Amino acid sequence: VQLVESGGGLVHAGESLTLSCTTSGIVFRIANMAWYRQAPGEQRELVAVINSVHKTNYADSAKGRFTIYRDNAKKTVYLQMNNLKPEDTGVYFCNTDSPEQLGTWGQGTQVTVSS
């Protein structure tokens, strides 16, 4: 299993980023995929989930600003982040909605939002 996140960077508040996560070793088309964020000194938290039929759910902090979507042909899940805020800063990881079952994490991608 491999999860490879990319697309992070340093942006100013109000700007946008789109994160990508390319996967291998999982049956992507039936997997419920998710994005997680780990802020400095904090535990990893769930940001957004998309299931196999493209139904989505978001953390309250992400609602109205973030969009999770997937491309099953590319085995890739994306996170479009608009109107970024300094509190969105952290390392973003993708995984399934049951990461303990997958048993692995990627390296993540750093998002830093300056005020």
Side-chain angles (χ1 to χ4, degrees):
V1 175
Q2 278 196 318
L3 306 166
V4 181
E5 300 93 346
S6 62
L10 172 62
V11 297
H12 294 105
E15 294 183 339
S16 299
L17 282 173
T18 299
L19 308 182
S20 301
C21 172
T22 302
T23 72
S24 61
I26 65 172
V27 186
F28 185 84
R29 69 183 186 280
I30 63 171
N32 298 331
M33 297 302 298
W35 282 96
Y36 301 81
R37 173 176 63 227
Q38 188 164 19
E42 302 289 334
Q43 290 190 338
R44 200 171 291 164
E45 61 178 354
L46 182 66
V47 175
V49 181
I50 183 167
N51 71 7
S52 60
V53 294
H54 297 244
K55 181 178 179 180
T56 59
N57 276 296
Y58 298 92
D60 287 344
S61 61
K63 287 178 181 177
R65 299 188 299 124
F66 293 5
T67 302
I68 186 172
Y69 58 101
R70 63 193 294 161
D71 184 331
N72 288 346
K74 296 182 178 179
K75 299 183 179 180
T76 299
V77 60
Y78 303 90
L79 186 68
Q80 170 75 41
M81 305 187 295
N82 297 327
N83 189 22
L84 282 160
K85 302 176 180 181
E87 52 263 43
D88 296 320
T89 293
V91 182
Y92 284 71
F93 301 86
C94 77
N95 211 303
T96 69
D97 64 347
S98 299
E100 66 280 1
Q101 293 184 359
L102 198 59
T104 189
W105 291 88
Q107 83 288 348
T109 187
Q110 175 71 47
V111 172
T112 303
V113 185
S114 63
S115 57

